[in-house]
Amino acid sequence: MSKLTSLHINLIGIGTALLMSIILFFALIKPKNEDIDTSSKATAAAEEAGGTEAKVAAHRKDFVNSKEKTKVITAAWAINQARYMPKIAFSPQQKSTSLLNLYAFNGLYSDGKVYGIRDLPMVWGVKVKKWYDAHDREGVTRSFGQDFPIDSFSTDPNDISKLASIRFPQDKPWHVTVVAKSFNAAMLHLRRFNAMHGFGMPVVDNVALSGQSPSLNVSYDMHLDVIPPADPPAADPVIGGGGGGAATGAGPAGFGSFGGKGAKGPVGMPGG
């Protein structure tokens, strides 16, 4: 019973930590930006309509408070964004770079190497697998055949314009099973997700234990949410579907509506 209680406490802590950054962005930053806009418009409307000084002052106070709260939340998000999110070349400095170049050659930076956006699924499938294999020395191993397939991206470079956010894998989480040599090794493995930096935000759910040491099975569902550092560039009407033959057989499944679903392949190959 003490072990089960400890497990529940750990999982509650893990879930809170892993989801906090996503909550900060989607539940706080965006609404606060909307509050600023609403307060600003309300102040202007009150002034134009000859509203009372008290009402105008109240709207101005709401406007100032919303701006201050947004600064605090944005600063907290910036820390977690730098910690968990990969480096993707969506920024004002990249506006002179063509979509085709971002798609095929230099839109993604990972482990000191440069890839095209189309390579995200291939790179991330291998990256996640290596992260798990690094836990062998801590007494945790992937179950036989446990891989991390990711569907391919669309072959149209213009679909980069839809990548405001990305989820790996797209359709449903990976159902992961690892074997731990002890209960403590299993708990350490779960806590490691808090330090899974540069992969996107890991979200772990439905954790279950079975068996016993030294073959304790730990199973759970896991996916990664990636929020690029800025909005993706707009579509380029000059570029046709398929990228003129420059992008064949590579790319990931997007969060939302990024292109069609490609065929799954083995990890390390396009589409897996």
Side-chain angles (χ1 to χ4, degrees):
M1 180 63 70
S2 62
K3 287 188 176 181
L4 289 177
T5 301
S6 174
L7 173 62
H8 293 159
I9 292 172
N10 275 286
L11 297 185
I12 291 170
I14 290 167
T16 300
L18 296 181
L19 292 173
M20 185 56 64
S21 293
I22 297 297
I23 291 171
L24 281 172
F25 184 79
F26 288 110
L28 295 178
I29 293 178
K30 185 177 179 182
K32 284 302 174 186
N33 285 331
E34 292 171 352
D35 287 347
I36 290 174
D37 185 57
T38 300
S39 298
S40 180
K41 289 178 180 177
T43 300
E47 290 174 337
E48 291 174 2
T52 64
E53 184 176 345
K55 288 184 178 179
V56 172
H59 286 306
R60 283 178 175 164
K61 183 177 180 180
D62 289 341
F63 177 68
V64 171
N65 288 340
S66 294
K67 287 185 69 175
E68 290 302 316
K69 289 179 181 178
T70 300
K71 285 181 182 178
V72 174
I73 295 168
T74 301
W77 165 246
I79 293 172
N80 286 286
Q81 183 183 52
R83 181 178 297 162
Y84 289 104
M85 298 302 151
K87 185 179 179 184
I88 298 177
F90 295 165
S91 68
Q93 291 74 26
Q94 294 291 335
K95 286 185 177 179
S96 60
T97 302
S98 72
L99 275 177
L100 190 58
N101 200 32
L102 287 174
Y103 180 83
F105 303 113
N106 67 354
L108 170 70
Y109 304 85
S110 179
D111 298 330
K113 297 180 180 180
V114 183
Y115 304 90
I117 295 296
R118 66 176 183 180
D119 299 322
L120 243 170
M122 176 186 70
V123 172
W124 248 238
V126 175
K127 190 179 178 79
V128 172
K129 188 175 180 179
K130 288 181 177 178
W131 184 83
Y132 274 85
D133 288 346
H135 296 180
D136 283 352
R137 60 181 178 272
E138 298 164 357
V140 176
T141 57
R142 288 183 295 121
S143 292
F144 180 76
Q146 177 69 66
D147 280 329
F148 302 91
I150 299 174
D151 289 337
S152 297
F153 270 162
S154 163
T155 57
D156 183 356
N158 276 315
D159 282 340
I160 287 177
S161 65
K162 302 174 184 178
L163 284 181
S165 55
I166 310 164
R167 173 167 290 179
F168 293 140
Q170 182 184 24
D171 293 336
K172 60 182 180 180
W174 292 300
H175 185 68
V176 182
T177 303
V178 297
V179 180
K181 290 184 177 179
S182 66
F183 179 81
N184 288 338
M187 292 299 98
L188 176 60
H189 170 71
L190 294 173
R191 288 194 295 270
R192 289 287 187 199
F193 285 105
N194 288 320
M196 196 178 186
H197 299 164
F199 287 77
M201 179 61 60
V203 179
V204 178
D205 198 10
N206 299 322
V207 179
L209 299 179
S210 61
Q212 57 186 6
S213 303
S215 296
L216 182 63
N217 292 315
V218 186
S219 64
Y220 48 84
D221 295 329
M222 192 269 281
H223 71 261
L224 299 168
D225 284 328
V226 176
I227 302 174
D231 291 334
D236 185 347
V238 176
I239 300 175
T248 56
F255 196 75
S257 59
F258 182 76
K261 187 174 81 170
K264 292 183 179 179
V267 171
M269 296 297 290

